[in-house]
Amino acid sequence: MAETVFARPQALADVTTHYCPGCTHGVIHRLVAEVIDELGVRERTVGIAPVGCSVLAYNYFATDFHEAAHGRAPAVATGVKRARPDLIVFSYQGDGDLASIGMAEIIHCANRGEKVTVVFVNNAIYGMTGGQMAPTTLPGQVATTCQLGRDVATAGHPIRVAELISTLRTPAFVARASVHNPLVAVHAKEMLRRAFRYQVEGVCFSLVEILSTCPTNWGIPPAESTSWLEKNMLPYYPVGIFKTPESGSREPRPLPA
Amino acid sequence: MTKKLMKGSEAIGEAAVQSGCKLFFGYPITPQNEIPEYMSMRLPQVGGTFVQAESEVAASNMIYGAAGSGERVMTSSSSPGISLMAEGISYLAGSELPVVIVNIVRAGPGLGGILPSQGDYFQATKGLGHGDFRVLVLAPWSVQEAADLVQDAFDLADYYRNPVMVLGDGLIGQMMEPVEFRSDRTPIKELPPKTWAATGCDGSRPTNIINSLFLDPEELERHNHKLKAKYDRMVADEIRVATYGAEGDFDVLIVAYGTVARVCSTAIDELREEGLRVALLRPITLFPFPYEAVREAAVQARAVLVVELSSGQMIEDVQLALARSRPVHFLNRMGGMLVSPDEVVAKAKAILDGRSAEVFHG
Ligand SMILES: Cc1ncc(C[n+]2csc(CCOP(=O)(O)OP(=O)(O)O)c2C)c(N)n1
Ligand code: SF4
């Protein structure tokens, strides 16, 4: 009798996604789905899709879903969770969606301590609209609205969302992870598991920022995108836990060796 | 002057620069990203400033600040983004600030789709925000006209101290056509200096305050009357229409605007070749709407055909103009689907053969 050792998570729909070759949105979807399965909450999970490349996430997860207006997913999540506190509610948002147009919604959702989970995908660019500068675009990084590279003198420095949210006094779980190689992806899954568990146990708001690739709009071949991420994004966006409800700490903790 | 082959969105951006637009604030949204992208590259070359706002709510308030400082300023967006600008646009109108807003409409409602639509006619002409105000709305049908109307829009905005919207669709933005910018262009209006701008008071004049708050109802009503008088002047002086194939007699009058009107003009060429007498009236200003021109043209025809990329919006203004004096027929597509010349030809023939039923909307 053959034993199944690897299968599609139940919480992931059996469909082909539209993501570009080399895009890690799909990997992050899978990690989220695995965690939902492992916690056994698929039937009571409601996702909130953003506006961005993951706008069709509602087709890719086998859970109930809402599609939200650009940036408003945390507000929609608040509405769902307040109406049905027994549901497990997560939003899945890009950096333009969460850190630009939706900055007010995310800050206040976190500050109210809504017991929802935010999966924040940081790929340092606007993917869906064709490569404009994001609030997370790195200094000097070229985008279609900063064709000479991001000039921090006029565009400011990239926003570190995990650090920012962790300054709030309201108890929360806030972490940053990456998926550019299998080892860090295991850590990312662990962060997601902790984030969802805090919600399942009714403890606190949780947010996991996950560094992700966008070869299409970074203008590099898919095979090089993970090393680009490692070389350019990791130094500015350190991975680790920034805040837990127990400690209230906002000191970044390094990835365990 | 030489003509240059340009994409509609680039021509819109360049027209703004040629008009002395010094500032652009906007937030990315398809199908108009080429406008902010062009401005991000071009404005610094002429000492101007481009800012990618964090949202359209912010962009609409940034143009408020820049316009209140007396500078020529523009933003561009597409339908969902314009909805977010509703707040800023209302304050701009209330405070009488001149700005140019380009709206490259996409299909809706909600997130809808990114393909061409005219589903925001009501929003543009009647409901751009809360309160009792109007915005001049100009609808180009070619890249050249888009460039010309953007330049006129800056003059009209300054003259009336009012937002002006240039309403297009993804076709206008993406189309490549020869464009000419005339170096000897002069403003279409006599423009007084912006003595009202809040530019810092050194004691030589009373302070200037950019404001739409009037807590005293009598004062607010006076302000409302003043605004209304301004909108009445727009109605009296700014209506623009074009016609196509209307020189001789015609049996059917088509009313359509923007790129749809262009499709209709192709259909009219075909119909004329078959000896069928069909003409086009194309509103260029959607507010003020050319009620009088529609009525005058329609009385020469047996029937009127409205063609729109919506479930039926401008048709209400056409019916208002005609007051049931002529039967009105309707042809439309939605969701980002386009009307083809063949569909227009077939509909016109059906009207002429008595096979089309008139419609009653509204
Ligand atoms: C109100 C409004 N403004 C703008 C847009 C256009 N828009 C769609 S996705 C997007 C940004 C996507 O970037 P990000 O959130 O970083 O996600 P990614 O595509 O990179 O995954 C924008 C600006 C919109 N849909 N609605
Ligand atoms: S554009 Fe970028 S973020 Fe979007 S699917 Fe392609 S690679 Fe992924």
Side-chain angles (χ1 to χ4, degrees):
Chain A
M1 274 272 280
E3 187 198 351
T4 306
V5 293
F6 188 78
R8 180 180 50 78
Q10 269 202 319
L12 207 58
D14 189 8
V15 294
T16 308
T17 71
H18 70 288
Y19 297 117
C20 306
C23 177
T24 45
H25 261 305
V27 176
I28 299 167
H29 281 21
R30 183 176 176 103
L31 298 180
V32 171
E34 285 180 1
V35 166
I36 291 171
D37 276 12
E38 287 165 23
L39 293 175
V41 294
R42 187 181 75 88
E43 281 80 8
R44 59 184 179 108
T45 293
V46 173
I48 319 292
V51 176
C53 278
S54 45
V55 65
L56 297 179
Y58 53 76
N59 287 333
Y60 303 152
F61 287 96
T63 68
D64 283 359
F65 247 84
H66 288 249
E67 166 51 28
H70 198 20
R72 315 294 181 231
V76 176
T78 299
V80 175
K81 190 74 182 186
R82 293 289 177 122
R84 289 288 307 274
D86 54 315
L87 296 177
I88 301 304
V89 182
F90 79 96
S91 74
Y92 186 107
Q93 302 178 254
D95 42 44
D97 193 80
L98 180 141
S100 189
I101 195 167
M103 189 57 117
E105 283 75 11
I106 188 60
I107 293 278
H108 290 282
C109 179
N111 197 52
R112 288 189 305 267
E114 300 295 343
K115 293 176 184 60
V116 300
T117 299
V118 175
V119 181
F120 168 46
V121 180
N122 176 359
N123 60 11
I125 199 90
Y126 279 29
M128 189 191 208
T129 41
Q132 295 82 14
M133 183 183 68
T136 49
T137 295
L138 294 166
Q141 186 186 335
V142 170
T144 59
T145 47
C146 53
Q147 296 174 28
L148 302 176
R150 183 187 188 122
D151 177 3
V152 296
T154 55
H157 289 264
I159 296 176
R160 293 181 171 120
V161 168
E163 286 86 335
L164 185 69
I165 301 287
S166 66
T167 62
L168 299 171
R169 284 199 64 190
T170 308
F173 175 75
V174 181
R176 183 184 290 117
S178 183
V179 289
H180 63 276
N181 68 41
L183 191 68
V184 295
V186 170
H187 169 257
K189 183 171 168 188
E190 177 54 24
M191 294 300 101
L192 287 166
R193 188 183 292 120
R194 285 188 65 174
F196 275 90
R197 196 180 296 134
Y198 278 120
Q199 181 182 176
V200 170
E201 291 166 2
V203 178
C204 64
F205 170 88
S206 53
L207 179 144
V208 184
E209 173 172 344
I210 304 183
L211 306 181
S212 187
T213 59
C214 180
T216 304
N217 288 299
W218 291 350
I220 61 175
E224 289 165 28
S225 61
T226 47
S227 47
W228 191 94
L229 185 160
E230 188 173 9
K231 182 162 163 279
N232 297 287
M233 289 182 75
L234 265 191
Y236 191 85
Y237 297 116
V239 296
I241 296 172
F242 291 82
K243 186 179 172 80
T244 64
E246 298 83 25
S247 70
S249 163
R250 59 186 172 102
E251 288 300 309
R253 294 181 192 173
L255 182 61
Chain B
M1 276 318 298
T2 52
K3 292 199 173 194
K4 209 175 140 190
L5 199 61
M6 284 184 108
K7 231 183 179 181
S9 39
E10 287 172 6
I12 287 169
E14 186 56 32
V17 171
Q18 299 284 334
S19 307
C21 170
K22 279 285 180 300
L23 300 117
F24 184 99
F25 305 90
Y27 185 76
I29 183 166
T30 312
Q32 61 80 55
N33 289 318
E34 293 81 356
I35 301 173
E37 286 167 1
Y38 184 84
M39 295 306 258
S40 73
M41 179 275 296
R42 186 75 173 94
L43 274 176
Q45 295 174 354
V46 294
T49 299
F50 166 87
V51 177
Q52 183 174 314
E54 68 271 27
S55 70
E56 292 87 350
V57 178
S60 68
N61 288 287
M62 289 174 180
I63 57 174
Y64 181 95
S69 313
E71 296 295 332
R72 282 196 157 181
V73 54
M74 181 165 100
T75 188
S76 67
S77 190
S78 177
S79 311
I82 297 292
S83 290
L84 282 194
M85 290 189 186
E87 173 183 289
I89 296 173
S90 174
Y91 281 71
L92 284 158
S95 307
E96 298 192 84
L97 291 180
V99 296
V100 174
I101 301 163
V102 178
N103 182 3
I104 303 294
V105 179
R106 62 189 237 181
L111 211 42
I114 59 172
L115 294 175
S117 164
Q118 296 182 323
D120 296 350
Y121 177 90
F122 280 157
Q123 185 194 44
T125 59
K126 312 191 195 280
L128 268 173
H130 67 279
D132 212 348
F133 74 94
R134 296 292 191 150
V135 163
L136 271 163
V137 183
L138 311 174
W141 82 336
S142 69
V143 174
Q144 179 69 58
E145 194 177 47
D148 293 343
L149 289 181
V150 165
Q151 291 182 287
D152 292 354
F154 277 98
D155 293 342
L156 292 167
D158 280 347
Y159 181 75
Y160 286 104
R161 287 187 56 188
N162 206 67
V164 178
M165 175 170 278
V166 177
L167 192 81
D169 58 35
L171 283 180
I172 281 284
Q174 298 300 322
M175 232 160 24
M176 281 195 88
E177 286 183 339
V179 190
E180 178 182 330
F181 290 101
R182 296 182 42 186
S183 54
D184 59 347
R185 183 187 181 279
T186 49
I188 59 169
K189 295 277 180 188
E190 197 149 334
L191 301 176
K194 298 180 177 178
T195 51
W196 47 264
T199 52
C201 171
D202 59 1
S204 61
R205 58 158 169 79
T207 53
N208 282 340
I209 298 170
I210 309 296
N211 175 40
S212 64
L213 174 68
F214 298 86
L215 286 176
D216 172 358
E218 285 180 16
E219 205 192 336
L220 180 52
E221 192 182 43
R222 274 196 298 279
H223 181 59
N224 290 141
H225 278 303
K226 179 182 162 209
L227 294 179
K228 172 73 167 100
K230 178 161 87 175
Y231 308 142
D232 287 347
R233 277 191 288 133
M234 293 177 186
V235 170
D237 296 340
E238 302 307 336
I239 289 173
R240 298 191 194 187
V241 288
T243 55
Y244 188 86
E247 300 76 29
D249 293 337
F250 49 88
D251 299 307
V252 175
L253 176 73
I254 299 180
V255 184
Y257 69 95
T259 50
V260 177
R262 205 145 151 185
V263 172
C264 293
S265 72
T266 308
I268 287 173
D269 290 344
E270 284 179 36
L271 289 159
R272 292 260 161 190
E273 264 171 41
E274 293 184 42
L276 300 172
R277 304 185 306 176
V278 179
L280 169 73
L281 183 138
R282 173 171 75 90
I284 297 172
T285 50
L286 302 183
F287 178 83
F289 187 80
Y291 294 104
E292 205 57 48
V294 168
R295 190 162 35 238
E296 279 167 16
V299 292
Q300 302 176 52
R302 284 197 282 133
V304 172
L305 168 61
V306 175
V307 187
E308 272 185 274
L309 301 183
S310 78
S311 64
Q313 299 194 11
M314 183 184 68
I315 190 172
E316 292 192 5
D317 280 325
V318 173
Q319 284 171 323
L320 199 59
L322 299 183
R324 299 221 160 157
S325 60
R326 287 290 179 282
V328 177
H329 300 253
F330 189 51
L331 173 67
N332 72 326
R333 295 300 300 264
M334 292 180 283
M337 299 299 293
L338 298 177
V339 173
S340 70
D342 286 352
E343 285 171 302
V344 179
V345 167
K347 184 69 177 181
K349 286 181 178 170
I351 294 169
L352 289 165
D353 298 348
R355 287 181 287 110
S356 170
E358 64 180 299
V359 292
F360 301 98
H361 277 272

